[in-house]
Amino acid sequence: MRLSQQDHARISAAVTQAERDTAGEIVVIVAPRSDAYHDVGLHMAVLAMLAVVLATAWGPGWIGWLHGLIEPWSTAPSTTFLLVALAWAQAAAFLIVRVACAWMPLRMVLTPRGTKARRVRRQATTLFRASAEHRTRAATGVLLYLSLAEHRAEIVADAAIHDRVAPEVWGDVLAPLLVALRAGTPGDGMIAAVGAIGTILTDHFPKGAHDVNELSDRVIEL
């Protein structure tokens, strides 16, 4: 899912409209995802190795079957055979899961929601520092960040805004955006969120006689 060129134009126009009566500045950034989550694939592969041990402890019959297949002349598997068979099974489980997790959609499904939330928030904070923080004279920059793969969005605000607007307010702004994202209409959700942010900024930071547009209104798509 990506924004169309029409969505870009509509959102940019919404930012311009939202900033018309406020000294605040809105920056909109959209990313396909906030992290590669390679560590999740590694963790799942390690869990698969542990699962082999647990499965063997619960039902060790597969080792006897394997022993009969490889060493039919021996009456019982030796300790060496047991350990080698278990090691090979663990290695196979690790490789299978690791290769499977190279497929990004599967990796996203296996990533816990809490992990996604933390990574999206971290990326939003990093991008805010690079694109909006301390880049306005009155410290009135706001970042609206959307991470498409995680279906999550974040709002990060400069110090002057953060001191006046409660976090719950931003949560109310993001709720309709997330609904629109799940419905496959991220552009509409972004426009609604930008409009709501503009209303909040106008209430707290009305436009002054000498205010100018300090940050670009265009959508930044990574």
Side-chain angles (χ1 to χ4, degrees), residues 110-158:
L110 294 176
T111 302
R113 293 180 62 182
T115 300
K116 293 177 183 177
R118 288 191 296 273
R119 303 282 171 90
V120 171
R121 181 66 183 179
R122 182 180 67 187
Q123 182 70 350
T125 302
T126 299
L127 292 172
F128 171 73
R129 289 170 178 164
S131 64
E133 188 176 31
H134 305 316
R135 290 178 177 260
T136 58
R137 288 176 298 176
T140 54
V142 178
L143 169 67
L144 173 60
Y145 174 65
L146 174 62
S147 193
L148 293 169
E150 294 89 344
H151 285 199
R152 297 194 64 87
E154 290 284 348
I155 295 176
V156 187
D158 244 325

Short mmCIF file of all heavy atoms in Angstrom, two decimals, residues 110-158:
data_model
loop_
_atom_site.label_atom_id
_atom_site.label_comp_id
_atom_site.label_asym_id
_atom_site.label_seq_id
_atom_site.Cartn_x
_atom_site.Cartn_y
_atom_site.Cartn_z
N LEU A 110 4.68 -12.30 12.47
CA LEU A 110 5.29 -12.88 13.67
C LEU A 110 5.78 -11.82 14.66
O LEU A 110 6.07 -12.15 15.82
CB LEU A 110 6.45 -13.78 13.28
CG LEU A 110 6.08 -15.04 12.48
CD1 LEU A 110 7.35 -15.79 12.07
CD2 LEU A 110 5.17 -15.95 13.29
N THR A 111 5.88 -10.57 14.22
CA THR A 111 6.38 -9.53 15.11
C THR A 111 5.30 -9.12 16.11
O THR A 111 4.19 -8.76 15.70
CB THR A 111 6.81 -8.29 14.31
OG1 THR A 111 7.82 -8.66 13.36
CG2 THR A 111 7.36 -7.22 15.23
N PRO A 112 5.58 -9.15 17.40
CA PRO A 112 4.58 -8.74 18.39
C PRO A 112 4.15 -7.29 18.21
O PRO A 112 4.93 -6.44 17.77
CB PRO A 112 5.32 -8.94 19.73
CG PRO A 112 6.41 -9.91 19.43
CD PRO A 112 6.82 -9.64 18.01
N ARG A 113 2.91 -7.00 18.55
CA ARG A 113 2.37 -5.65 18.38
C ARG A 113 3.17 -4.63 19.20
O ARG A 113 3.39 -3.51 18.75
CB ARG A 113 0.90 -5.62 18.79
CG ARG A 113 -0.01 -6.42 17.89
CD ARG A 113 -1.45 -6.35 18.34
NE ARG A 113 -1.96 -4.98 18.30
CZ ARG A 113 -3.17 -4.64 18.69
NH1 ARG A 113 -4.00 -5.56 19.18
NH2 ARG A 113 -3.58 -3.39 18.61
N GLY A 114 3.57 -5.04 20.40
CA GLY A 114 4.34 -4.13 21.24
C GLY A 114 5.67 -3.75 20.60
O GLY A 114 6.11 -2.59 20.69
N THR A 115 6.31 -4.71 19.95
CA THR A 115 7.57 -4.44 19.26
C THR A 115 7.35 -3.46 18.11
O THR A 115 8.13 -2.52 17.92
CB THR A 115 8.18 -5.75 18.73
OG1 THR A 115 8.44 -6.63 19.82
CG2 THR A 115 9.48 -5.48 17.98
N LYS A 116 6.29 -3.68 17.34
CA LYS A 116 5.97 -2.75 16.25
C LYS A 116 5.74 -1.34 16.79
O LYS A 116 6.24 -0.36 16.22
CB LYS A 116 4.74 -3.23 15.49
CG LYS A 116 4.92 -4.52 14.72
CD LYS A 116 3.61 -4.93 14.07
CE LYS A 116 3.73 -6.26 13.35
NZ LYS A 116 2.44 -6.70 12.77
N ALA A 117 4.97 -1.24 17.87
CA ALA A 117 4.67 0.08 18.43
C ALA A 117 5.94 0.81 18.86
O ALA A 117 6.11 2.00 18.60
CB ALA A 117 3.71 -0.07 19.62
N ARG A 118 6.85 0.09 19.51
CA ARG A 118 8.10 0.72 19.96
C ARG A 118 8.97 1.15 18.78
O ARG A 118 9.57 2.23 18.81
CB ARG A 118 8.87 -0.25 20.87
CG ARG A 118 8.24 -0.45 22.24
CD ARG A 118 9.17 -1.19 23.17
NE ARG A 118 9.46 -2.54 22.70
CZ ARG A 118 8.72 -3.60 22.98
NH1 ARG A 118 7.62 -3.47 23.70
NH2 ARG A 118 9.06 -4.81 22.55
N ARG A 119 9.05 0.31 17.75
CA ARG A 119 9.90 0.65 16.61
C ARG A 119 9.33 1.84 15.83
O ARG A 119 10.09 2.69 15.36
CB ARG A 119 10.04 -0.56 15.68
CG ARG A 119 10.60 -1.82 16.37
CD ARG A 119 12.10 -1.77 16.58
NE ARG A 119 12.55 -2.88 17.40
CZ ARG A 119 12.93 -4.07 16.95
NH1 ARG A 119 12.92 -4.31 15.65
NH2 ARG A 119 13.33 -5.01 17.78
N VAL A 120 8.01 1.87 15.68
CA VAL A 120 7.39 2.99 14.97
C VAL A 120 7.60 4.28 15.75
O VAL A 120 7.94 5.33 15.17
CB VAL A 120 5.88 2.73 14.75
CG1 VAL A 120 5.18 3.98 14.20
CG2 VAL A 120 5.69 1.57 13.78
N ARG A 121 7.43 4.23 17.05
CA ARG A 121 7.63 5.42 17.88
C ARG A 121 9.08 5.89 17.81
O ARG A 121 9.35 7.09 17.70
CB ARG A 121 7.25 5.11 19.33
CG ARG A 121 7.40 6.30 20.29
CD ARG A 121 6.43 7.40 19.96
NE ARG A 121 6.60 8.56 20.82
CZ ARG A 121 5.88 9.67 20.72
NH1 ARG A 121 4.94 9.76 19.80
NH2 ARG A 121 6.09 10.68 21.53
N ARG A 122 10.01 4.95 17.87
CA ARG A 122 11.43 5.31 17.80
C ARG A 122 11.77 5.96 16.47
O ARG A 122 12.48 6.98 16.42
CB ARG A 122 12.27 4.05 18.00
CG ARG A 122 13.78 4.31 18.00
CD ARG A 122 14.55 3.03 18.22
NE ARG A 122 14.41 2.12 17.08
CZ ARG A 122 14.88 0.87 17.08
NH1 ARG A 122 15.50 0.39 18.14
NH2 ARG A 122 14.72 0.11 16.00
N GLN A 123 11.25 5.39 15.38
CA GLN A 123 11.52 5.96 14.07
C GLN A 123 10.88 7.34 13.92
O GLN A 123 11.47 8.26 13.34
CB GLN A 123 11.00 5.02 12.98
CG GLN A 123 11.27 5.48 11.56
CD GLN A 123 12.73 5.40 11.17
OE1 GLN A 123 13.60 5.17 12.01
NE2 GLN A 123 13.02 5.60 9.89
N ALA A 124 9.67 7.49 14.46
CA ALA A 124 9.01 8.79 14.40
C ALA A 124 9.81 9.85 15.14
O ALA A 124 9.97 10.99 14.67
CB ALA A 124 7.60 8.69 14.99
N THR A 125 10.34 9.49 16.30
CA THR A 125 11.14 10.43 17.08
C THR A 125 12.41 10.81 16.33
O THR A 125 12.81 11.99 16.30
CB THR A 125 11.49 9.82 18.45
OG1 THR A 125 10.29 9.48 19.14
CG2 THR A 125 12.30 10.79 19.28
N THR A 126 13.04 9.82 15.71
CA THR A 126 14.26 10.09 14.94
C THR A 126 13.98 11.03 13.77
O THR A 126 14.72 12.00 13.53
CB THR A 126 14.85 8.77 14.41
OG1 THR A 126 15.19 7.93 15.52
CG2 THR A 126 16.10 9.03 13.58
N LEU A 127 12.91 10.78 13.05
CA LEU A 127 12.55 11.62 11.90
C LEU A 127 12.13 13.01 12.34
O LEU A 127 12.40 14.00 11.64
CB LEU A 127 11.44 10.95 11.10
CG LEU A 127 11.84 9.67 10.37
CD1 LEU A 127 10.62 8.99 9.77
CD2 LEU A 127 12.86 9.97 9.28
N PHE A 128 11.47 13.10 13.49
CA PHE A 128 11.08 14.42 14.00
C PHE A 128 12.31 15.26 14.30
O PHE A 128 12.37 16.45 13.96
CB PHE A 128 10.23 14.25 15.27
CG PHE A 128 9.97 15.53 16.00
CD1 PHE A 128 9.07 16.46 15.49
CD2 PHE A 128 10.62 15.82 17.20
CE1 PHE A 128 8.82 17.65 16.15
CE2 PHE A 128 10.38 17.00 17.86
CZ PHE A 128 9.48 17.92 17.34
N ARG A 129 13.30 14.65 14.91
CA ARG A 129 14.53 15.38 15.22
C ARG A 129 15.24 15.86 13.96
O ARG A 129 15.87 16.93 13.96
CB ARG A 129 15.45 14.51 16.05
CG ARG A 129 14.96 14.27 17.47
CD ARG A 129 15.76 13.21 18.19
NE ARG A 129 15.30 13.04 19.56
CZ ARG A 129 15.60 12.00 20.33
NH1 ARG A 129 16.38 11.04 19.84
NH2 ARG A 129 15.14 11.92 21.56
N ALA A 130 15.11 15.09 12.90
CA ALA A 130 15.78 15.46 11.65
C ALA A 130 14.99 16.46 10.82
O ALA A 130 15.58 17.23 10.06
CB ALA A 130 16.02 14.21 10.82
N SER A 131 13.67 16.48 10.97
CA SER A 131 12.85 17.26 10.05
C SER A 131 12.13 18.45 10.67
O SER A 131 11.78 19.40 9.96
CB SER A 131 11.81 16.36 9.38
OG SER A 131 10.91 15.84 10.36
N ALA A 132 11.87 18.42 11.98
CA ALA A 132 11.01 19.47 12.55
C ALA A 132 11.51 20.06 13.87
O ALA A 132 11.27 21.24 14.14
CB ALA A 132 9.59 18.91 12.76
N GLU A 133 12.19 19.29 14.67
CA GLU A 133 12.57 19.77 16.00
C GLU A 133 13.51 20.98 15.91
O GLU A 133 14.52 20.95 15.20
CB GLU A 133 13.24 18.66 16.80
CG GLU A 133 13.49 19.03 18.27
CD GLU A 133 14.07 17.88 19.05
OE1 GLU A 133 14.81 17.06 18.46
OE2 GLU A 133 13.79 17.78 20.25
N HIS A 134 13.15 22.05 16.63
CA HIS A 134 13.96 23.28 16.69
C HIS A 134 14.16 23.93 15.32
O HIS A 134 15.10 24.70 15.13
CB HIS A 134 15.32 23.01 17.32
CG HIS A 134 15.24 22.38 18.68
ND1 HIS A 134 14.37 22.82 19.65
CD2 HIS A 134 15.94 21.34 19.22
CE1 HIS A 134 14.52 22.06 20.75
NE2 HIS A 134 15.46 21.17 20.51
N ARG A 135 13.30 23.62 14.37
CA ARG A 135 13.43 24.21 13.04
C ARG A 135 12.44 25.36 12.83
O ARG A 135 12.36 25.90 11.73
CB ARG A 135 13.25 23.15 11.96
CG ARG A 135 14.42 22.17 11.91
CD ARG A 135 14.20 21.09 10.86
NE ARG A 135 15.36 20.21 10.80
CZ ARG A 135 16.32 20.30 9.89
NH1 ARG A 135 16.27 21.24 8.96
NH2 ARG A 135 17.34 19.46 9.89
N THR A 136 11.69 25.70 13.86
CA THR A 136 10.82 26.87 13.81
C THR A 136 11.20 27.81 14.94
O THR A 136 11.66 27.37 16.00
CB THR A 136 9.34 26.47 13.96
OG1 THR A 136 9.14 25.77 15.20
CG2 THR A 136 8.91 25.56 12.81
N ARG A 137 10.99 29.09 14.73
CA ARG A 137 11.43 30.07 15.73
C ARG A 137 10.74 29.89 17.07
O ARG A 137 11.34 30.09 18.13
CB ARG A 137 11.15 31.48 15.19
CG ARG A 137 12.07 31.92 14.06
CD ARG A 137 11.68 33.27 13.52
NE ARG A 137 10.32 33.24 12.94
CZ ARG A 137 9.70 34.29 12.45
NH1 ARG A 137 10.29 35.48 12.48
NH2 ARG A 137 8.49 34.19 11.93
N ALA A 138 9.47 29.52 17.05
CA ALA A 138 8.71 29.40 18.30
C ALA A 138 8.59 27.96 18.78
O ALA A 138 7.81 27.68 19.70
CB ALA A 138 7.31 30.00 18.10
N ALA A 139 9.36 27.05 18.19
CA ALA A 139 9.31 25.62 18.56
C ALA A 139 7.88 25.09 18.46
O ALA A 139 7.32 24.53 19.41
CB ALA A 139 9.86 25.40 19.97
N THR A 140 7.29 25.27 17.28
CA THR A 140 5.90 24.86 17.07
C THR A 140 5.78 23.87 15.91
O THR A 140 4.81 23.90 15.16
CB THR A 140 5.02 26.09 16.78
OG1 THR A 140 5.59 26.84 15.69
CG2 THR A 140 4.91 26.98 18.00
N GLY A 141 6.74 23.01 15.76
CA GLY A 141 6.69 21.99 14.71
C GLY A 141 6.02 20.72 15.19
O GLY A 141 6.17 20.30 16.35
N VAL A 142 5.25 20.10 14.31
CA VAL A 142 4.56 18.84 14.61
C VAL A 142 4.81 17.86 13.47
O VAL A 142 4.67 18.22 12.30
CB VAL A 142 3.03 19.04 14.77
CG1 VAL A 142 2.35 17.70 15.03
CG2 VAL A 142 2.73 20.00 15.90
N LEU A 143 5.17 16.64 13.82
CA LEU A 143 5.35 15.59 12.82
C LEU A 143 4.18 14.63 12.88
O LEU A 143 3.85 14.10 13.95
CB LEU A 143 6.65 14.82 13.07
CG LEU A 143 6.82 13.53 12.24
CD1 LEU A 143 6.96 13.85 10.76
CD2 LEU A 143 8.00 12.71 12.74
N LEU A 144 3.55 14.40 11.74
CA LEU A 144 2.58 13.32 11.58
C LEU A 144 3.27 12.23 10.78
O LEU A 144 3.61 12.43 9.61
CB LEU A 144 1.32 13.83 10.86
CG LEU A 144 0.29 12.75 10.48
CD1 LEU A 144 -0.23 12.03 11.72
CD2 LEU A 144 -0.86 13.38 9.69
N TYR A 145 3.48 11.09 11.42
CA TYR A 145 4.25 10.00 10.81
C TYR A 145 3.36 8.79 10.64
O TYR A 145 2.69 8.35 11.60
CB TYR A 145 5.44 9.66 11.69
CG TYR A 145 6.22 8.45 11.24
CD1 TYR A 145 6.92 8.45 10.04
CD2 TYR A 145 6.26 7.29 12.02
CE1 TYR A 145 7.65 7.34 9.63
CE2 TYR A 145 6.99 6.18 11.62
CZ TYR A 145 7.68 6.21 10.42
OH TYR A 145 8.39 5.11 10.01
N LEU A 146 3.35 8.23 9.44
CA LEU A 146 2.55 7.04 9.15
C LEU A 146 3.48 5.93 8.66
O LEU A 146 4.25 6.12 7.72
CB LEU A 146 1.50 7.35 8.07
CG LEU A 146 0.68 6.16 7.55
CD1 LEU A 146 -0.15 5.54 8.68
CD2 LEU A 146 -0.23 6.60 6.41
N SER A 147 3.39 4.77 9.31
CA SER A 147 4.17 3.60 8.91
C SER A 147 3.19 2.56 8.37
O SER A 147 2.40 1.98 9.13
CB SER A 147 4.95 3.05 10.11
OG SER A 147 5.93 2.13 9.70
N LEU A 148 3.23 2.34 7.06
CA LEU A 148 2.17 1.59 6.39
C LEU A 148 2.14 0.11 6.76
O LEU A 148 1.08 -0.44 7.03
CB LEU A 148 2.32 1.76 4.88
CG LEU A 148 2.07 3.17 4.34
CD1 LEU A 148 2.51 3.27 2.88
CD2 LEU A 148 0.61 3.55 4.48
N ALA A 149 3.28 -0.56 6.77
CA ALA A 149 3.30 -2.00 7.02
C ALA A 149 2.78 -2.34 8.41
O ALA A 149 2.09 -3.35 8.59
CB ALA A 149 4.72 -2.54 6.85
N GLU A 150 3.09 -1.51 9.38
CA GLU A 150 2.64 -1.76 10.75
C GLU A 150 1.23 -1.27 11.02
O GLU A 150 0.66 -1.53 12.07
CB GLU A 150 3.60 -1.10 11.76
CG GLU A 150 4.99 -1.66 11.80
CD GLU A 150 5.92 -0.98 10.80
OE1 GLU A 150 5.40 -0.29 9.89
OE2 GLU A 150 7.16 -1.12 10.94
N HIS A 151 0.68 -0.51 10.07
CA HIS A 151 -0.65 0.12 10.26
C HIS A 151 -0.66 0.94 11.55
O HIS A 151 -1.60 0.88 12.34
CB HIS A 151 -1.75 -0.96 10.32
CG HIS A 151 -2.08 -1.52 8.98
ND1 HIS A 151 -3.25 -2.20 8.70
CD2 HIS A 151 -1.38 -1.53 7.81
CE1 HIS A 151 -3.27 -2.58 7.44
NE2 HIS A 151 -2.14 -2.19 6.88
N ARG A 152 0.39 1.74 11.72
CA ARG A 152 0.51 2.57 12.90
C ARG A 152 0.93 3.98 12.50
O ARG A 152 1.60 4.18 11.48
CB ARG A 152 1.52 2.01 13.90
CG ARG A 152 1.16 0.66 14.48
CD ARG A 152 2.02 0.35 15.68
NE ARG A 152 1.79 1.28 16.78
CZ ARG A 152 0.84 1.13 17.71
NH1 ARG A 152 0.04 0.08 17.66
NH2 ARG A 152 0.71 2.00 18.67
N ALA A 153 0.53 4.94 13.32
CA ALA A 153 0.89 6.34 13.09
C ALA A 153 1.30 6.95 14.42
O ALA A 153 0.89 6.49 15.49
CB ALA A 153 -0.28 7.10 12.48
N GLU A 154 2.11 7.99 14.34
CA GLU A 154 2.57 8.69 15.53
C GLU A 154 2.55 10.20 15.26
O GLU A 154 2.74 10.64 14.12
CB GLU A 154 4.00 8.28 15.90
CG GLU A 154 4.14 6.87 16.43
CD GLU A 154 3.67 6.71 17.87
OE1 GLU A 154 3.44 7.75 18.54
OE2 GLU A 154 3.53 5.55 18.31
N ILE A 155 2.33 10.95 16.32
CA ILE A 155 2.45 12.40 16.28
C ILE A 155 3.51 12.80 17.30
O ILE A 155 3.42 12.42 18.47
CB ILE A 155 1.12 13.11 16.60
CG1 ILE A 155 0.08 12.80 15.51
CG2 ILE A 155 1.32 14.62 16.72
CD1 ILE A 155 -1.30 13.37 15.80
N VAL A 156 4.51 13.52 16.84
CA VAL A 156 5.57 14.01 17.73
C VAL A 156 5.61 15.53 17.59
O VAL A 156 5.65 16.05 16.47
CB VAL A 156 6.95 13.41 17.37
CG1 VAL A 156 7.99 13.81 18.41
CG2 VAL A 156 6.86 11.89 17.24
N ALA A 157 5.60 16.21 18.72
CA ALA A 157 5.49 17.67 18.70
C ALA A 157 6.68 18.33 19.39
O ALA A 157 7.31 17.75 20.28
CB ALA A 157 4.20 18.12 19.38
N ASP A 158 6.97 19.56 18.95
CA ASP A 158 8.02 20.36 19.56
C ASP A 158 7.67 20.69 21.01
O ASP A 158 6.53 20.53 21.45
CB ASP A 158 8.20 21.66 18.77
CG ASP A 158 9.58 21.75 18.12
OD1 ASP A 158 10.54 21.25 18.73
OD2 ASP A 158 9.68 22.31 17.02
#
